[in-house]
Amino acid sequence: MLISETKTLLTSMLDHAGVRPGKAADDVLTTVEVFRRFAAVPVDDAAPPEEDGDGVLAQFGTFDFGGVREFWADLTRQFIEADDEDVLWQLRCTLHWTPSAETEALGSGSLWSFGMPLGDFFAEALALPGWAWALAGVQAPQHLTIELDEI
C-alpha cells in the first residue's frame, strides 16, 4: 500500500465493518478495532516506524476548529515519505460529539505510538480519559470523518 492509498483502504475497511464516514458512528469500538488493524498494514513509501516514519497518534478534547466547538476523539496515522523526510502526511479518523459539561471535564490529551509496540500503544491510548469516555458509549458520536492531508 502507498500513502496515497491509505484513505481508500481505511474507508473500505470501515465500510466492510458497517461504519460509514460522514454518518453517525454508533459503534466506537468497531471503529477503533478497524483502525487498529489498519495501523498494522505496512506502507511501502513511508519511512520505517523505527525511524518515526509511520506512527499513530491518539488524541481527544473539546476544540473550536473551523468555528464549530466540538468534542472529538481522534486516531491519526502519520507518515513521513521515505524519499523526502520533509514531506509529512496525516490520515485522521475523527469521531465528533456535541460538547457537554461531562466532555469539558475530560480536558484533552494525546499519546504517540513511537517507540512502543502497537498493542501496547492501543492499550494505553484507549485508557486516556476521552477515549475511555467515547468507548463507554455514554453518547453516540454525531459523525465520523476520515481525512488525508499533507502537512
PDB file of all heavy atoms in Angstrom, residues 48-74:
ATOM      1  N   PRO A  48      10.461   3.812   7.706  1.00  0.00           N
ATOM      2  CA  PRO A  48      10.077   2.765   8.669  1.00  0.00           C
ATOM      3  C   PRO A  48       9.676   3.322  10.036  1.00  0.00           C
ATOM      4  O   PRO A  48      10.129   4.401  10.435  1.00  0.00           O
ATOM      5  CB  PRO A  48      11.325   1.896   8.774  1.00  0.00           C
ATOM      6  CG  PRO A  48      12.417   2.609   8.097  1.00  0.00           C
ATOM      7  CD  PRO A  48      11.851   3.729   7.299  1.00  0.00           C
ATOM      8  N   PRO A  49       8.826   2.571  10.755  1.00  0.00           N
ATOM      9  CA  PRO A  49       8.399   3.010  12.091  1.00  0.00           C
ATOM     10  C   PRO A  49       9.576   3.287  13.032  1.00  0.00           C
ATOM     11  O   PRO A  49       9.516   4.228  13.832  1.00  0.00           O
ATOM     12  CB  PRO A  49       7.549   1.841  12.604  1.00  0.00           C
ATOM     13  CG  PRO A  49       7.041   1.179  11.372  1.00  0.00           C
ATOM     14  CD  PRO A  49       8.148   1.339  10.356  1.00  0.00           C
ATOM     15  N   GLU A  50      10.640   2.484  12.922  1.00  0.00           N
ATOM     16  CA  GLU A  50      11.783   2.700  13.825  1.00  0.00           C
ATOM     17  C   GLU A  50      12.502   4.020  13.547  1.00  0.00           C
ATOM     18  O   GLU A  50      13.280   4.487  14.372  1.00  0.00           O
ATOM     19  CB  GLU A  50      12.757   1.514  13.802  1.00  0.00           C
ATOM     20  CG  GLU A  50      13.302   1.161  12.450  1.00  0.00           C
ATOM     21  CD  GLU A  50      12.421   0.186  11.676  1.00  0.00           C
ATOM     22  OE1 GLU A  50      11.289  -0.113  12.086  1.00  0.00           O
ATOM     23  OE2 GLU A  50      12.879  -0.281  10.624  1.00  0.00           O
ATOM     24  N   GLU A  51      12.223   4.638  12.419  1.00  0.00           N
ATOM     25  CA  GLU A  51      12.742   5.978  12.102  1.00  0.00           C
ATOM     26  C   GLU A  51      11.637   7.023  12.258  1.00  0.00           C
ATOM     27  O   GLU A  51      11.745   8.132  11.736  1.00  0.00           O
ATOM     28  CB  GLU A  51      13.288   6.007  10.673  1.00  0.00           C
ATOM     29  CG  GLU A  51      14.513   5.134  10.470  1.00  0.00           C
ATOM     30  CD  GLU A  51      14.975   5.095   9.009  1.00  0.00           C
ATOM     31  OE1 GLU A  51      14.556   5.958   8.206  1.00  0.00           O
ATOM     32  OE2 GLU A  51      15.753   4.190   8.683  1.00  0.00           O
ATOM     33  N   ASP A  52      10.577   6.670  12.967  1.00  0.00           N
ATOM     34  CA  ASP A  52       9.410   7.523  13.197  1.00  0.00           C
ATOM     35  C   ASP A  52       8.727   7.934  11.897  1.00  0.00           C
ATOM     36  O   ASP A  52       8.087   8.991  11.825  1.00  0.00           O
ATOM     37  CB  ASP A  52       9.772   8.761  14.033  1.00  0.00           C
ATOM     38  CG  ASP A  52      10.192   8.400  15.444  1.00  0.00           C
ATOM     39  OD1 ASP A  52       9.937   7.256  15.869  1.00  0.00           O
ATOM     40  OD2 ASP A  52      10.786   9.253  16.127  1.00  0.00           O
ATOM     41  N   GLY A  53       8.827   7.080  10.867  1.00  0.00           N
ATOM     42  CA  GLY A  53       8.215   7.380   9.582  1.00  0.00           C
ATOM     43  C   GLY A  53       6.786   6.903   9.462  1.00  0.00           C
ATOM     44  O   GLY A  53       6.098   7.245   8.500  1.00  0.00           O
ATOM     45  N   ASP A  54       6.326   6.128  10.424  1.00  0.00           N
ATOM     46  CA  ASP A  54       4.963   5.602  10.407  1.00  0.00           C
ATOM     47  C   ASP A  54       4.559   5.402  11.860  1.00  0.00           C
ATOM     48  O   ASP A  54       5.114   4.557  12.554  1.00  0.00           O
ATOM     49  CB  ASP A  54       4.922   4.273   9.634  1.00  0.00           C
ATOM     50  CG  ASP A  54       3.533   3.697   9.477  1.00  0.00           C
ATOM     51  OD1 ASP A  54       2.573   4.253  10.048  1.00  0.00           O
ATOM     52  OD2 ASP A  54       3.416   2.674   8.782  1.00  0.00           O
ATOM     53  N   GLY A  55       3.631   6.218  12.322  1.00  0.00           N
ATOM     54  CA  GLY A  55       3.207   6.126  13.717  1.00  0.00           C
ATOM     55  C   GLY A  55       1.756   6.532  13.874  1.00  0.00           C
ATOM     56  O   GLY A  55       1.136   7.058  12.952  1.00  0.00           O
ATOM     57  N   VAL A  56       1.235   6.282  15.062  1.00  0.00           N
ATOM     58  CA  VAL A  56      -0.167   6.579  15.348  1.00  0.00           C
ATOM     59  C   VAL A  56      -0.246   7.540  16.529  1.00  0.00           C
ATOM     60  O   VAL A  56       0.491   7.405  17.510  1.00  0.00           O
ATOM     61  CB  VAL A  56      -0.965   5.291  15.657  1.00  0.00           C
ATOM     62  CG1 VAL A  56      -2.423   5.612  15.957  1.00  0.00           C
ATOM     63  CG2 VAL A  56      -0.862   4.304  14.506  1.00  0.00           C
ATOM     64  N   LEU A  57      -1.155   8.486  16.407  1.00  0.00           N
ATOM     65  CA  LEU A  57      -1.447   9.448  17.459  1.00  0.00           C
ATOM     66  C   LEU A  57      -2.885   9.243  17.900  1.00  0.00           C
ATOM     67  O   LEU A  57      -3.791   9.184  17.064  1.00  0.00           O
ATOM     68  CB  LEU A  57      -1.269  10.878  16.920  1.00  0.00           C
ATOM     69  CG  LEU A  57      -1.802  12.031  17.772  1.00  0.00           C
ATOM     70  CD1 LEU A  57      -1.038  12.144  19.095  1.00  0.00           C
ATOM     71  CD2 LEU A  57      -1.726  13.339  16.984  1.00  0.00           C
ATOM     72  N   ALA A  58      -3.102   9.109  19.200  1.00  0.00           N
ATOM     73  CA  ALA A  58      -4.454   9.106  19.768  1.00  0.00           C
ATOM     74  C   ALA A  58      -4.609  10.422  20.515  1.00  0.00           C
ATOM     75  O   ALA A  58      -3.717  10.804  21.285  1.00  0.00           O
ATOM     76  CB  ALA A  58      -4.640   7.932  20.728  1.00  0.00           C
ATOM     77  N   GLN A  59      -5.712  11.117  20.250  1.00  0.00           N
ATOM     78  CA  GLN A  59      -5.930  12.382  20.945  1.00  0.00           C
ATOM     79  C   GLN A  59      -7.424  12.602  21.164  1.00  0.00           C
ATOM     80  O   GLN A  59      -8.256  11.970  20.514  1.00  0.00           O
ATOM     81  CB  GLN A  59      -5.314  13.543  20.169  1.00  0.00           C
ATOM     82  CG  GLN A  59      -5.745  13.659  18.739  1.00  0.00           C
ATOM     83  CD  GLN A  59      -4.923  14.665  17.962  1.00  0.00           C
ATOM     84  OE1 GLN A  59      -4.286  15.538  18.519  1.00  0.00           O
ATOM     85  NE2 GLN A  59      -4.945  14.552  16.662  1.00  0.00           N
ATOM     86  N   PHE A  60      -7.729  13.499  22.093  1.00  0.00           N
ATOM     87  CA  PHE A  60      -9.114  13.830  22.391  1.00  0.00           C
ATOM     88  C   PHE A  60      -9.157  15.220  22.997  1.00  0.00           C
ATOM     89  O   PHE A  60      -8.144  15.723  23.486  1.00  0.00           O
ATOM     90  CB  PHE A  60      -9.747  12.807  23.359  1.00  0.00           C
ATOM     91  CG  PHE A  60      -9.178  12.907  24.748  1.00  0.00           C
ATOM     92  CD1 PHE A  60      -9.771  13.727  25.696  1.00  0.00           C
ATOM     93  CD2 PHE A  60      -8.031  12.215  25.095  1.00  0.00           C
ATOM     94  CE1 PHE A  60      -9.237  13.845  26.976  1.00  0.00           C
ATOM     95  CE2 PHE A  60      -7.487  12.324  26.369  1.00  0.00           C
ATOM     96  CZ  PHE A  60      -8.095  13.143  27.303  1.00  0.00           C
ATOM     97  N   GLY A  61     -10.315  15.823  22.962  1.00  0.00           N
ATOM     98  CA  GLY A  61     -10.504  17.121  23.593  1.00  0.00           C
ATOM     99  C   GLY A  61     -11.674  17.866  22.989  1.00  0.00           C
ATOM    100  O   GLY A  61     -12.283  17.421  22.021  1.00  0.00           O
ATOM    101  N   THR A  62     -11.967  19.019  23.579  1.00  0.00           N
ATOM    102  CA  THR A  62     -13.003  19.907  23.073  1.00  0.00           C
ATOM    103  C   THR A  62     -12.296  21.083  22.429  1.00  0.00           C
ATOM    104  O   THR A  62     -11.499  21.765  23.076  1.00  0.00           O
ATOM    105  CB  THR A  62     -13.937  20.376  24.207  1.00  0.00           C
ATOM    106  OG1 THR A  62     -14.515  19.222  24.820  1.00  0.00           O
ATOM    107  CG2 THR A  62     -15.025  21.285  23.684  1.00  0.00           C
ATOM    108  N   PHE A  63     -12.580  21.292  21.160  1.00  0.00           N
ATOM    109  CA  PHE A  63     -11.856  22.292  20.378  1.00  0.00           C
ATOM    110  C   PHE A  63     -12.825  23.098  19.527  1.00  0.00           C
ATOM    111  O   PHE A  63     -13.932  22.657  19.239  1.00  0.00           O
ATOM    112  CB  PHE A  63     -10.813  21.605  19.468  1.00  0.00           C
ATOM    113  CG  PHE A  63      -9.847  20.751  20.229  1.00  0.00           C
ATOM    114  CD1 PHE A  63     -10.012  19.377  20.275  1.00  0.00           C
ATOM    115  CD2 PHE A  63      -8.789  21.315  20.920  1.00  0.00           C
ATOM    116  CE1 PHE A  63      -9.127  18.575  20.980  1.00  0.00           C
ATOM    117  CE2 PHE A  63      -7.904  20.525  21.628  1.00  0.00           C
ATOM    118  CZ  PHE A  63      -8.069  19.154  21.657  1.00  0.00           C
ATOM    119  N   ASP A  64     -12.360  24.256  19.107  1.00  0.00           N
ATOM    120  CA  ASP A  64     -13.130  25.146  18.254  1.00  0.00           C
ATOM    121  C   ASP A  64     -12.350  25.339  16.959  1.00  0.00           C
ATOM    122  O   ASP A  64     -11.681  26.350  16.768  1.00  0.00           O
ATOM    123  CB  ASP A  64     -13.351  26.483  18.960  1.00  0.00           C
ATOM    124  CG  ASP A  64     -14.252  27.416  18.188  1.00  0.00           C
ATOM    125  OD1 ASP A  64     -14.787  27.009  17.136  1.00  0.00           O
ATOM    126  OD2 ASP A  64     -14.421  28.565  18.627  1.00  0.00           O
ATOM    127  N   PHE A  65     -12.382  24.315  16.093  1.00  0.00           N
ATOM    128  CA  PHE A  65     -11.731  24.398  14.797  1.00  0.00           C
ATOM    129  C   PHE A  65     -12.784  24.702  13.743  1.00  0.00           C
ATOM    130  O   PHE A  65     -13.823  24.041  13.710  1.00  0.00           O
ATOM    131  CB  PHE A  65     -11.008  23.093  14.434  1.00  0.00           C
ATOM    132  CG  PHE A  65      -9.827  22.804  15.314  1.00  0.00           C
ATOM    133  CD1 PHE A  65      -9.754  21.619  16.021  1.00  0.00           C
ATOM    134  CD2 PHE A  65      -8.788  23.705  15.443  1.00  0.00           C
ATOM    135  CE1 PHE A  65      -8.669  21.333  16.832  1.00  0.00           C
ATOM    136  CE2 PHE A  65      -7.706  23.437  16.258  1.00  0.00           C
ATOM    137  CZ  PHE A  65      -7.635  22.252  16.956  1.00  0.00           C
ATOM    138  N   GLY A  66     -12.534  25.662  12.913  1.00  0.00           N
ATOM    139  CA  GLY A  66     -13.480  25.980  11.844  1.00  0.00           C
ATOM    140  C   GLY A  66     -14.761  26.619  12.342  1.00  0.00           C
ATOM    141  O   GLY A  66     -15.788  26.528  11.675  1.00  0.00           O
ATOM    142  N   GLY A  67     -14.720  27.224  13.518  1.00  0.00           N
ATOM    143  CA  GLY A  67     -15.881  27.930  14.031  1.00  0.00           C
ATOM    144  C   GLY A  67     -16.927  27.066  14.709  1.00  0.00           C
ATOM    145  O   GLY A  67     -17.968  27.559  15.118  1.00  0.00           O
ATOM    146  N   VAL A  68     -16.664  25.761  14.835  1.00  0.00           N
ATOM    147  CA  VAL A  68     -17.620  24.859  15.483  1.00  0.00           C
ATOM    148  C   VAL A  68     -16.932  24.223  16.693  1.00  0.00           C
ATOM    149  O   VAL A  68     -15.905  23.581  16.555  1.00  0.00           O
ATOM    150  CB  VAL A  68     -18.092  23.750  14.511  1.00  0.00           C
ATOM    151  CG1 VAL A  68     -19.019  22.774  15.220  1.00  0.00           C
ATOM    152  CG2 VAL A  68     -18.769  24.351  13.294  1.00  0.00           C
ATOM    153  N   ARG A  69     -17.522  24.425  17.861  1.00  0.00           N
ATOM    154  CA  ARG A  69     -16.971  23.820  19.075  1.00  0.00           C
ATOM    155  C   ARG A  69     -17.485  22.387  19.170  1.00  0.00           C
ATOM    156  O   ARG A  69     -18.691  22.141  19.148  1.00  0.00           O
ATOM    157  CB  ARG A  69     -17.373  24.636  20.292  1.00  0.00           C
ATOM    158  CG  ARG A  69     -16.669  24.209  21.548  1.00  0.00           C
ATOM    159  CD  ARG A  69     -16.710  25.325  22.582  1.00  0.00           C
ATOM    160  NE  ARG A  69     -16.078  24.916  23.800  1.00  0.00           N
ATOM    161  CZ  ARG A  69     -14.769  24.886  24.025  1.00  0.00           C
ATOM    162  NH1 ARG A  69     -13.949  25.246  23.078  1.00  0.00           N
ATOM    163  NH2 ARG A  69     -14.282  24.499  25.191  1.00  0.00           N
ATOM    164  N   GLU A  70     -16.544  21.436  19.266  1.00  0.00           N
ATOM    165  CA  GLU A  70     -16.886  20.015  19.319  1.00  0.00           C
ATOM    166  C   GLU A  70     -15.941  19.289  20.270  1.00  0.00           C
ATOM    167  O   GLU A  70     -14.797  19.691  20.442  1.00  0.00           O
ATOM    168  CB  GLU A  70     -16.713  19.346  17.952  1.00  0.00           C
ATOM    169  CG  GLU A  70     -17.619  19.813  16.861  1.00  0.00           C
ATOM    170  CD  GLU A  70     -17.341  19.070  15.571  1.00  0.00           C
ATOM    171  OE1 GLU A  70     -16.200  19.145  15.060  1.00  0.00           O
ATOM    172  OE2 GLU A  70     -18.267  18.410  15.090  1.00  0.00           O
ATOM    173  N   PHE A  71     -16.455  18.196  20.817  1.00  0.00           N
ATOM    174  CA  PHE A  71     -15.582  17.238  21.484  1.00  0.00           C
ATOM    175  C   PHE A  71     -15.272  16.179  20.446  1.00  0.00           C
ATOM    176  O   PHE A  71     -16.157  15.740  19.719  1.00  0.00           O
ATOM    177  CB  PHE A  71     -16.268  16.583  22.692  1.00  0.00           C
ATOM    178  CG  PHE A  71     -15.426  15.506  23.318  1.00  0.00           C
ATOM    179  CD1 PHE A  71     -14.380  15.838  24.166  1.00  0.00           C
ATOM    180  CD2 PHE A  71     -15.649  14.168  23.030  1.00  0.00           C
ATOM    181  CE1 PHE A  71     -13.579  14.848  24.725  1.00  0.00           C
ATOM    182  CE2 PHE A  71     -14.853  13.174  23.582  1.00  0.00           C
ATOM    183  CZ  PHE A  71     -13.807  13.526  24.432  1.00  0.00           C
ATOM    184  N   TRP A  72     -14.010  15.779  20.361  1.00  0.00           N
ATOM    185  CA  TRP A  72     -13.680  14.692  19.447  1.00  0.00           C
ATOM    186  C   TRP A  72     -12.625  13.777  20.025  1.00  0.00           C
ATOM    187  O   TRP A  72     -11.845  14.164  20.884  1.00  0.00           O
ATOM    188  CB  TRP A  72     -13.315  15.171  18.052  1.00  0.00           C
ATOM    189  CG  TRP A  72     -12.332  16.284  17.867  1.00  0.00           C
ATOM    190  CD1 TRP A  72     -12.618  17.598  17.617  1.00  0.00           C
ATOM    191  CD2 TRP A  72     -10.911  16.217  17.862  1.00  0.00           C
ATOM    192  NE1 TRP A  72     -11.467  18.334  17.465  1.00  0.00           N
ATOM    193  CE2 TRP A  72     -10.403  17.494  17.611  1.00  0.00           C
ATOM    194  CE3 TRP A  72     -10.008  15.175  18.053  1.00  0.00           C
ATOM    195  CZ2 TRP A  72      -9.039  17.774  17.551  1.00  0.00           C
ATOM    196  CZ3 TRP A  72      -8.651  15.463  17.995  1.00  0.00           C
ATOM    197  CH2 TRP A  72      -8.201  16.744  17.746  1.00  0.00           C
ATOM    198  N   ALA A  73     -12.695  12.552  19.549  1.00  0.00           N
ATOM    199  CA  ALA A  73     -11.680  11.540  19.837  1.00  0.00           C
ATOM    200  C   ALA A  73     -11.134  11.131  18.481  1.00  0.00           C
ATOM    201  O   ALA A  73     -11.893  10.848  17.550  1.00  0.00           O
ATOM    202  CB  ALA A  73     -12.293  10.350  20.572  1.00  0.00           C
ATOM    203  N   ASP A  74      -9.827  11.132  18.363  1.00  0.00           N
ATOM    204  CA  ASP A  74      -9.195  11.009  17.055  1.00  0.00           C
ATOM    205  C   ASP A  74      -8.052  10.003  17.094  1.00  0.00           C
ATOM    206  O   ASP A  74      -7.279   9.967  18.057  1.00  0.00           O
ATOM    207  CB  ASP A  74      -8.653  12.395  16.673  1.00  0.00           C
ATOM    208  CG  ASP A  74      -7.812  12.392  15.421  1.00  0.00           C
ATOM    209  OD1 ASP A  74      -8.387  12.537  14.336  1.00  0.00           O
ATOM    210  OD2 ASP A  74      -6.576  12.243  15.527  1.00  0.00           O
TER     211      ASP A  74
END
